[in-house]
Amino acid sequence: GPSRPEYNPAMKIRVVFVTDVMQDVRMVEGFAGIFDLTVLAPRYLEERFITWPTNKPFERVFLPVGRARFVFQAAKWLRRNRGRFKVIIAQDNLTGALASNIGGRLTRTPVILRMGRTTEEYYRSKRHAGLKGLRYWIGLITVKALVGFNERAAASVGATSLYIADDCRKRARDVHVIPAYGVDLELFSAKVSRAEARTILDLPLDVSLIIWRSRLAPEKDPETYFRALALLGERGYQVNGLYVGAEYLEILRIAQPFGITMIARDAVHPKDLAHFYRAADVAVQTSRVEGFGLSPLEALACETPVVASRIGGLVETIIDGKTGITVAPNDPEATADAIAWMLDHPDDAAALARNGRQLIAERYTDEVAFGGWLALAQRLAAR
């Protein structure tokens, strides 16, 4: 399970979080709650950070550059501001991590990589989206070089699952399993019934709703989800797909050829997202590659049964026959069979979901996640 070291809550240290990719508000809010935090990011992420609804203050520094120049400008900013911070946390192990490691060397500041995926494996999945030829191989060589350098150069790695940690240990010297952030069991819960949640959200009451909550990316394999729903329709099940997220219009477009009914809504606040999970009969995660997978945990917290691919970090939380059902990746037939079993055996499926909620309470709360991050940062700052 995740690390749960001791930490000193009175020691609030200055931390710079370097990121050039989109972030979940809950992780940054969590960091702002335990650190004296500065977020260093390129200008193209500014709107996302400014509009976040947060009551936890943190400094935002945006550099007016694109991703390529961000490495050099971020390293220069870190050097110019040496002495203001004790620890640098970098998102992933690519360009943001490279800027952090350069800045860390220039300022003799420890760098922690926050790892939520197995980067090379994710890159290889791009072949499913048509990336091939010389461009693919140049990209793969670049990714391998960045991953190798950054993980060896960093003082430590915080990996969100055992699966990711095992991959990082091939290169990094100090690796800890720490969730990115926890699941709020007060917010994500079964306080309302499935029918009440649907009424709140104006969703149909007379069909089964199967929710899919992932990015539209090759590694997430939405096609298997769509094909599984189509198979269920052919078998006589009255099912609708359900999606919530910023890519809702694209989801509707790509689902159309499969002849299924999709209900898709724009991204919402986590309190409303919890209602969507609760409204669904089954949550599905069809990933080809997955380092951890937070959406299935949020669904289980709402006591919604989960069907997930039997790969990567998913098997650490979706334990087949105990907290959910796992199936082979890229297998619409098996996915449809698992969903059908849950629809036909609602009491048994509900018991699996309750087991999953208990697992979250033991291993994947904010206390565990941010306690781990704080302990690791304090240990490095004290060196």
Side-chain angles (χ1 to χ4, degrees), residues 1 26 87 108 111 119 121 124 146 188 195 206 226 229 236 242 259 261 286 294 298 304 342:
R26 286 165 288 184
V87 174
R108 297 188 177 182
V111 174
T119 304
E121 189 178 27
R124 289 180 183 277
L146 284 171
F188 291 91
D206 57 348
F226 297 140
L229 293 192
L242 180 62
T261 300
T286 53
L294 184 72
E298 292 174 337
T304 296
M342 287 185 163

Side-chain angles (χ1 to χ4, degrees), residues 207-222:
V207 297
S208 297
L209 296 179
I210 315 300
I211 191 169
W212 188 83
R213 272 274 303 152
S214 290
R215 293 176 293 105
L216 276 177
E219 67 271 12
K220 302 299 184 180
D221 190 16

Side-chain angles (χ1 to χ4, degrees), residues 153-305:
S156 189
V157 172
T160 59
S161 70
L162 289 166
Y163 178 74
I164 298 170
D166 286 343
D167 179 69
C168 292
R169 287 189 181 108
K170 300 172 186 174
R171 298 165 293 273
R173 61 184 182 273
D174 186 55
V175 181
H176 302 265
V177 181
I178 310 173
Y181 50 87
V183 178
D184 185 338
L185 290 175
E186 181 68 20
L187 183 62
F188 291 91
S189 69
K191 289 179 180 177
V192 299
S193 70
R194 194 147 278 122
E196 288 170 331
R198 293 188 184 193
T199 300
I200 292 168
L201 299 170
D202 192 26
L203 294 172
L205 298 171
D206 57 348
V207 297
S208 297
L209 296 179
I210 315 300
I211 191 169
W212 188 83
R213 272 274 303 152
S214 290
R215 293 176 293 105
L216 276 177
E219 67 271 12
K220 302 299 184 180
D221 190 16
E223 183 174 334
T224 290
Y225 166 74
F226 297 140
R227 290 191 182 281
L229 293 192
L231 287 170
L232 289 169
E234 292 172 6
R235 298 177 190 179
Y237 288 90
Q238 299 297 310
V239 297
N240 285 182
L242 180 62
Y243 169 86
V244 186
E247 297 170 303
Y248 70 105
L249 294 177
E250 183 68 4
I251 281 282
L252 290 174
R253 184 187 68 80
I254 64 175
Q256 191 172 7
F258 294 92
I260 60 177
T261 300
M262 281 294 301
I263 300 170
R265 304 275 178 87
D266 200 356
V268 295
H269 189 276
K271 68 178 178 62
D272 298 312
L273 178 58
H275 285 318
F276 279 98
Y277 282 122
R278 183 60 184 152
D281 294 276
V282 180
V284 178
Q285 185 87 15
T286 53
S287 304
R288 290 188 177 95
V289 177
E290 192 66 63
F292 177 60
L294 184 72
S295 296
L297 290 185
E298 292 174 337
L300 290 178
C302 297
E303 298 188 15
T304 296

Side-chain angles (χ1 to χ4, degrees), residues 103-114:
R105 292 290 179 90
L106 293 173
T107 61
R108 297 188 177 182
T109 304
V111 174
I112 306 171
L113 305 187
R114 181 267 174 193

Side-chain angles (χ1 to χ4, degrees), residues 3-243:
S3 305
R4 199 169 189 173
E6 294 296 322
Y7 63 93
N8 176 9
M11 181 182 173
K12 195 166 187 179
I13 59 176
R14 185 73 182 172
V15 169
V16 177
F17 178 47
V18 180
T19 179
D20 57 353
V21 296
M22 300 301 282
Q23 291 303 314
D24 191 297
V25 62
R26 286 165 288 184
M27 191 180 77
V28 177
E29 278 192 332
F31 280 169
I34 60 174
F35 300 131
D36 186 4
L37 183 69
T38 296
V39 172
L40 181 61
R43 180 72 71 188
Y44 57 79
L45 294 183
E46 181 174 8
E47 182 178 351
R48 173 67 182 269
F49 279 99
I50 286 177
T51 57
W52 276 354
T54 175
N55 57 7
K56 294 180 180 177
F58 60 93
E59 181 185 17
R60 300 160 168 87
V61 176
F62 298 104
L63 302 178
V65 293
R67 182 168 291 180
R69 291 184 59 204
F70 178 72
V71 173
F72 305 102
Q73 294 300 320
K76 285 175 60 177
W77 186 94
L78 292 168
R79 183 175 183 275
R80 191 167 59 247
N81 288 274
R82 70 174 71 196
R84 287 188 57 202
F85 44 86
K86 294 290 187 181
V87 174
I88 302 167
I89 298 178
Q91 173 64 34
D92 281 340
N93 52 8
L94 295 175
T95 49
L98 181 59
S100 299
N101 277 319
I102 294 171
R105 292 290 179 90
L106 293 173
T107 61
R108 297 188 177 182
T109 304
V111 174
I112 306 171
L113 305 187
R114 181 267 174 193
M115 290 302 304
R117 61 181 180 174
T118 48
T119 304
E120 185 180 332
E121 189 178 27
Y122 270 64
Y123 180 83
R124 289 180 183 277
S125 72
K126 292 180 180 292
R127 287 176 295 183
H128 296 288
L131 183 63
K132 57 185 178 180
L134 185 61
R135 184 181 174 192
Y136 169 81
W137 290 108
I138 291 174
L140 180 60
I141 292 168
T142 302
V143 165
K144 288 171 72 72
L146 284 171
V147 167
F149 172 80
N150 285 321
E151 292 190 8
R152 290 184 177 92
S156 189
V157 172
T160 59
S161 70
L162 289 166
Y163 178 74
I164 298 170
D166 286 343
D167 179 69
C168 292
R169 287 189 181 108
K170 300 172 186 174
R171 298 165 293 273
R173 61 184 182 273
D174 186 55
V175 181
H176 302 265
V177 181
I178 310 173
Y181 50 87
V183 178
D184 185 338
L185 290 175
E186 181 68 20
L187 183 62
F188 291 91
S189 69
K191 289 179 180 177
V192 299
S193 70
R194 194 147 278 122
E196 288 170 331
R198 293 188 184 193
T199 300
I200 292 168
L201 299 170
D202 192 26
L203 294 172
L205 298 171
D206 57 348
V207 297
S208 297
L209 296 179
I210 315 300
I211 191 169
W212 188 83
R213 272 274 303 152
S214 290
R215 293 176 293 105
L216 276 177
E219 67 271 12
K220 302 299 184 180
D221 190 16
E223 183 174 334
T224 290
Y225 166 74
F226 297 140
R227 290 191 182 281
L229 293 192
L231 287 170
L232 289 169
E234 292 172 6
R235 298 177 190 179
Y237 288 90
Q238 299 297 310
V239 297
N240 285 182
L242 180 62
Y243 169 86

